[in-house]
Amino acid sequence: ITGAEADDIEAGWRRWVAEVNSGVADARHPLSELAVIDDLGTGEIDSFSVSPDGQVLFYRTIDYNTGIARLYLMHVDDPSSRREVTSDQRIGLESLHPLDRRVTAINGNRFVYIGRAGATDRIYVRRYEARRAGRGIRFRTRAVATHDLGIYPGLLEAGYPALGPDNSLTFTALNRDTGFLNVYRIENADEEEADLLQSTDDHYTERGLAVDKEGTVWLSSDATPDGRYELMRHVDGDKRPVTDFPGRVDCGAPAAVDGRLVFQCDATGHVQAYSLEGTDAVRLTDVPTYFGSPSFDARGNLLGLVRMDGRRRLVRLPPDRLLSIPAEEDKAATATRRTRVMPSATTNATAAVTDTTLPTGPAPPTEATVPMTGATVPAREAIERSRANGLTGSPGNGRAGLWTLAREPLEDVQNYDPYALRNWDLLALQGAAATGPFAVADAVFGDRFKNHIAGASLLYSGYTDVGEFTAFYIDRTGRTAYGGSVFLDTGLQLAPPLRTLQHTFLLQRLGASFDVEYPFGRYVSIAGSFSPQRLRAFRFTDTSTSFPDETRFSGFATEGRVRFAVDTLRHSLFGPIDGLSLVLWSSGTLTFGSADPFGSTTADFHYYRALIPGYHRIVAMLRLAGGTNFGGSFREQYYLPASYNLRAIPETSVDLYGDHYFLSQVEIGFPLSPVIADSLYLQGIVGADVGGLAFDADEAWRNRAAAGVLGVNLGIGPILLRFHFGRTIDIGGRDPERDWNSYISVWLAPGLFTF
């Protein structure tokens, strides 16, 4: 890529490593000197806020096993006071934006957080009280107000909230129409219908906000000639820099605690903590890695985030260990430290590349305070003005780079054609065959963006009349997904009135289906389909002979289906580990002939939860399910494989067929061995099944059965081998056999090989 020799690259790399780590051994604040604050809840802390008196922490954690972010309150003097405020990845609060921007703010009696709910972010204002209970402190909270950014023209997302002493709320927000971040203000955060004021109107980025006890707004912005982030004071609509570090140095994360303003800056080559003493910046730390998001607690300890033992940790540095190094000393060393060595791509030699003076752009425009009160005229004028400014070539949020990027002419660029064969890939393929004859095959194709999916599935068992075939196409380009298929489907039915395996017939459907699915949000969707088809009922042993009159039919029909689904499940190598799933499904078939219409309704609910917070290998599962069929003789009976439904019934029993069923299951999965190479694991299962299945609703209850379950799951890559054993329990229904039933089943990870 570079055209340089490997030895030259290696030499340059070693010099760079030595330069970056040159001050580690001499750091005056080694990691061993930092006091780590543990027991912060589930996951790893990634941002925090401190109340103005330094007594209460309000912070966010992220659980990397599940992706769930949580917010906690904790008093600095009592770690046991920790209280979980909320969590995301659920209906009503989809994301707390972990690993992105700070979304928390707190003062003496209120806290604020920002999260995505639906199409836009919402700002939640809550009141809290910290009360002493015995030897500890307990928090009481209640809702005050919620501000939906969707009611304000163009606003999409928000971050870096800051509460003022006058109960005002300042934050940055992204305008979807212009693509720029600006500072906004709500005068009274407790009012649901509060007016919104826009404080800045430019093309620069604000990457942090703080409000001191006088109500002054401090922020970090790249509204500088060379695109660096400097600490600025926001006064009367103007952003006035209060720091001026040379070179490619960024300052940010301001915090105002107990009358002191503290912020971070990477002037030493590592992010360190600084405070503003009058008009001068003073460095407080000398940590070998970084000391980010600094703040103070009530005792004057400096709090911050460091990377330690492979994790981001919240640490405390006592006041008597704080440094007081004038920022001028760091500025003087910046030019020498920023000299970097890299291989030359043209001479294959090692060349030194130093920072040079970056081009100076136009000065930041003066910002005026513009009222934004819902759909008023000033709001629309502000948006139109921002749009106009966006086309004038004003400096954007980016910065000048050290190297010039190569540019290619666009004469040969072509529009992407999702239907061109060159843009399609094989996503999944599987097949099997055996003498008999028997053959099964699946193939799925998709375009590069996976917006268009097509596939086919074939099952042949030696008899054309009982074969199965499906070919489908799905268009997921827009929010609403559309699809269609042609199919031949054959299912086994038990003929009335005996309902035994010796009295069976086949119901075959040949037709097409037109499908549509609409998501209400990230977790909730509704889908429907319409299917014209031809129905045929016949015996498996002799397709030319008829059987009981009530099951004799050959003619046309139409089927309609609707499905409502809620799915917040999070998965790991071991399967679902958190969340819930609810599927409600109903279908109806109208026949054109002598047969009566028929249909079915089913419901299936799953809930998963880790029994030990933060440890996802011991998981409890609760399942509740039920279904009912209605209509004529062709209503399609349920078949519940015993191995993962009712493990109190032998797998070959006719009692696994019926028109009505109910089912409840409880399982706990736990590790029997460590994970080997991220693909092989052994899991133990203990649980219980209770349920019933029959052709009559009352009989389903009378035929209820229960079993205690022990089992082992062996995971080999995407294949799961289940060895389960069920011991029947007498619950007053069917006569228990008082014996162990054994079940072996093979599962494939969903979505990997088949659709």
Side-chain angles (χ1 to χ4, degrees):
I1 294 174
T2 64
E5 296 294 333
D7 292 342
D8 293 335
I9 296 178
E10 177 69 17
W13 162 254
R14 290 184 178 277
R15 279 191 291 272
W16 178 82
V17 170
E19 173 195 348
V20 170
N21 292 281
S22 60
V24 171
D26 301 327
R28 280 169 278 189
H29 293 146
L31 296 181
S32 59
E33 188 175 324
L34 306 176
V36 178
I37 303 175
D38 285 322
D39 299 324
L40 296 178
T42 302
E44 178 181 313
I45 186 171
D46 78 330
S47 67
F48 70 98
S49 302
V50 183
S51 61
D53 58 7
Q55 294 188 353
V56 181
L57 295 175
F58 185 30
Y59 57 93
R60 179 179 62 197
T61 66
I62 170 69
D63 183 353
Y64 290 106
N65 293 323
T66 63
I68 297 176
R70 294 175 172 86
L71 299 181
Y72 292 93
L73 287 171
M74 189 177 78
H75 199 281
V76 295
D77 292 333
D78 181 16
S80 67
S81 66
R82 184 187 74 234
R83 171 171 178 172
E84 181 177 330
V85 173
T86 190
S87 62
D88 64 5
Q89 300 291 322
R90 59 182 175 83
I91 300 172
L93 185 57
E94 297 177 7
S95 176
L96 289 167
H97 305 297
L99 305 178
D100 186 2
R101 54 191 179 275
R102 177 175 56 81
V103 296
T104 59
I106 188 170
N107 62 16
N109 55 18
R110 285 171 178 78
F111 63 90
V112 171
Y113 61 92
I114 299 171
R116 172 59 65 90
T120 59
D121 277 358
R122 291 181 184 175
I123 303 174
Y124 302 87
V125 182
R126 302 291 186 260
R127 180 185 293 272
Y128 77 93
E129 294 179 79
R131 294 186 174 185
R132 292 212 167 263
R135 296 183 178 180
I137 298 174
R138 296 294 178 266
F139 288 102
R140 296 181 59 184
T141 66
R142 67 178 179 87
V144 177
T146 301
H147 305 282
D148 187 350
L149 290 189
I151 69 173
Y152 302 107
L155 295 191
L156 179 64
E157 293 187 348
Y160 305 109
L163 284 164
D166 56 352
N167 205 33
S168 63
L169 175 64
T170 306
F171 57 93
T172 67
L174 174 68
N175 188 305
R176 76 169 81 227
D177 297 319
T178 65
F180 293 111
L181 288 166
N182 279 296
V183 178
Y184 296 84
R185 176 185 173 94
I186 296 177
E187 291 294 336
N188 189 346
D190 290 353
E191 294 183 1
E192 289 277 2
E193 303 297 331
D195 291 341
L196 187 68
L197 303 178
Q198 181 174 337
S199 299
T200 66
D201 184 15
D202 57 35
H203 298 173
Y204 299 101
T205 296
E206 290 73 36
R207 206 166 60 178
L209 283 174
V211 178
D212 61 22
K213 60 183 179 180
E214 284 79 28
T216 302
V217 177
W218 304 85
L219 52 85
S220 172
S221 175
D222 65 347
T224 57
D226 51 9
R228 291 180 297 104
Y229 283 88
E230 295 280 13
L231 184 67
M232 299 189 180
R233 187 171 178 235
H234 189 259
V235 180
D236 298 330
D238 290 336
K239 289 182 289 190
R240 303 174 183 176
V242 295
T243 60
D244 183 19
F245 285 90
R248 294 182 295 112
V249 174
D250 286 333
C251 300
V257 181
D258 197 23
R260 303 179 68 180
L261 185 73
V262 63
F263 60 97
Q264 69 181 43
C265 192
D266 63 350
T268 66
H270 299 289
V271 171
Q272 305 289 354
Y274 289 75
S275 68
L276 196 63
E277 309 290 346
T279 59
D280 298 323
V282 175
R283 178 155 61 93
L284 305 177
T285 62
D286 185 22
V287 176
T289 55
Y290 73 89
F291 196 98
S293 303
S295 192
F296 288 103
D297 67 12
R299 303 181 186 276
N301 298 300
L302 183 65
L303 305 176
L305 300 178
V306 301
R307 195 77 179 176
M308 185 184 300
D309 299 329
R311 298 180 57 197
R312 190 180 288 104
R313 312 289 290 273
L314 179 63
V315 300
R316 178 191 296 116
L317 189 64
D320 59 347
R321 292 292 296 141
L322 298 182
L323 306 178
S324 183
I325 301 176
E328 296 299 327
E329 295 185 14
D330 294 336
K331 295 178 183 180
T334 298
T336 302
R337 185 185 61 262
R338 290 296 177 175
T339 300
R340 296 181 180 237
V341 180
M342 62 171 289
S344 170
T346 56
T347 64
N348 291 341
T350 301
V353 180
T354 60
D355 282 347
T356 57
T357 303
L358 298 175
T360 302
T366 301
E367 301 82 4
T369 301
V370 182
M372 303 256 316
T373 55
T376 59
V377 173
R380 291 196 295 269
E381 290 179 354
I383 292 175
E384 293 301 325
R385 183 170 63 254
S386 295
R387 284 176 178 158
N389 291 340
L391 301 176
T392 61
S394 299
N397 290 356
R399 63 185 59 207
L402 185 59
W403 299 287
T404 301
L405 297 178
R407 300 191 178 189
E408 295 292 339
L410 300 180
E411 289 83 359
D412 298 330
V413 172
Q414 299 177 2
N415 290 333
Y416 173 73
D417 182 3
Y419 301 106
L421 290 179
R422 65 177 180 275
N423 292 326
W424 281 71
D425 301 311
L426 178 65
L427 303 182
L429 178 66
Q430 70 173 1
T435 58
F438 171 82
V440 60
D442 297 276
V444 180
F445 301 86
D447 75 323
R448 294 179 184 271
F449 292 99
K450 308 300 184 290
N451 286 331
H452 303 270
I453 306 294
S457 175
L458 172 67
L459 185 150
Y460 178 70
S461 57
Y463 299 92
T464 305
D465 286 309
V466 295
E468 295 189 358
F469 172 78
T470 301
F472 67 88
Y473 167 75
I474 302 172
D475 184 345
R476 304 188 299 186
T477 306
R479 180 181 180 91
T480 303
Y482 302 92
S485 65
V486 293
F487 60 88
L488 173 66
D489 180 70
T490 308
L492 178 69
Q493 298 279 80
L494 299 185
L498 299 180
R499 305 289 192 183
T500 64
L501 292 177
Q502 290 75 30
H503 297 78
T504 63
F505 69 98
L506 296 175
L507 182 64
Q508 188 176 80
R509 296 174 181 262
L510 174 63
S513 178
F514 305 94
D515 313 289
V516 61
E517 181 179 28
Y518 178 79
F520 293 106
R522 182 177 297 183
Y523 307 114
V524 182
S525 66
I526 188 170
S529 67
F530 172 76
S531 174
Q533 53 195 243
R534 180 179 179 268
L535 291 184
R536 186 165 70 103
F538 57 92
R539 287 187 184 276
F540 173 69
T541 54
D542 185 353
T543 60
S544 62
T545 61
S546 62
F547 41 96
D549 290 340
E550 61 268 24
T551 57
R552 182 188 306 163
F553 180 78
S554 178
F556 292 96
T558 59
E559 182 187 31
R561 293 188 177 190
V562 62
R563 184 195 69 190
F564 176 79
V566 179
D567 188 352
T568 66
L569 294 181
R570 265 77 63 188
H571 297 261
S572 75
L573 174 67
F574 317 99
I577 56 177
D578 193 90
L580 62 88
S581 170
L582 172 65
V583 178
L584 304 177
W585 185 287
S586 184
S587 67
T589 301
L590 177 64
T591 61
F592 298 94
S594 59
D596 294 328
F598 57 91
S600 65
T601 298
T602 62
D604 207 337
F605 171 79
H606 289 78
Y607 177 74
Y608 293 84
R609 186 67 180 263
L611 296 183
I612 301 177
Y615 184 67
H616 67 287
R617 293 196 63 185
I618 302 181
V619 179
M621 183 274 286
L622 170 66
R623 180 189 177 195
L624 301 173
T628 182
N629 288 335
F630 51 87
S633 301
F634 295 129
R635 60 184 183 271
E636 293 172 286
Q637 299 143 9
Y638 294 107
Y639 166 60
L640 301 183
S643 61
Y644 51 92
N645 288 289
L646 285 173
R647 286 161 288 192
I649 303 176
E651 193 68 78
T652 57
S653 173
V654 72
D655 292 334
L656 296 175
Y657 293 84
D659 288 326
H660 313 276
Y661 79 94
F662 70 93
L663 175 65
S664 62
Q665 292 181 300
V666 176
E667 284 186 0
I668 297 177
F670 53 91
L672 294 178
S673 70
V675 178
I676 302 174
D678 292 332
S679 61
L680 182 65
Y681 67 92
L682 196 62
Q683 181 184 43
I685 296 292
V686 60
D689 299 340
V690 178
L693 174 66
F695 290 96
D696 180 81
D698 294 335
E699 184 185 355
W701 173 250
R702 293 193 302 268
N703 204 36
R704 63 190 181 274
V709 176
L710 296 176
V712 174
N713 293 341
L714 174 62
I716 307 174
I719 301 175
L720 179 65
L721 303 178
R722 293 164 42 103
F723 306 91
H724 289 193
F725 305 90
R727 174 73 173 182
T728 55
I729 302 173
D730 187 0
I731 58 172
R734 58 181 285 158
D735 294 332
E737 299 179 6
R738 293 294 183 184
D739 199 2
W740 287 92
N741 295 316
S742 59
Y743 308 92
I744 301 176
S745 59
V746 181
W747 289 23
L748 292 178
L752 290 183
F753 295 102
T754 60
F755 275 69

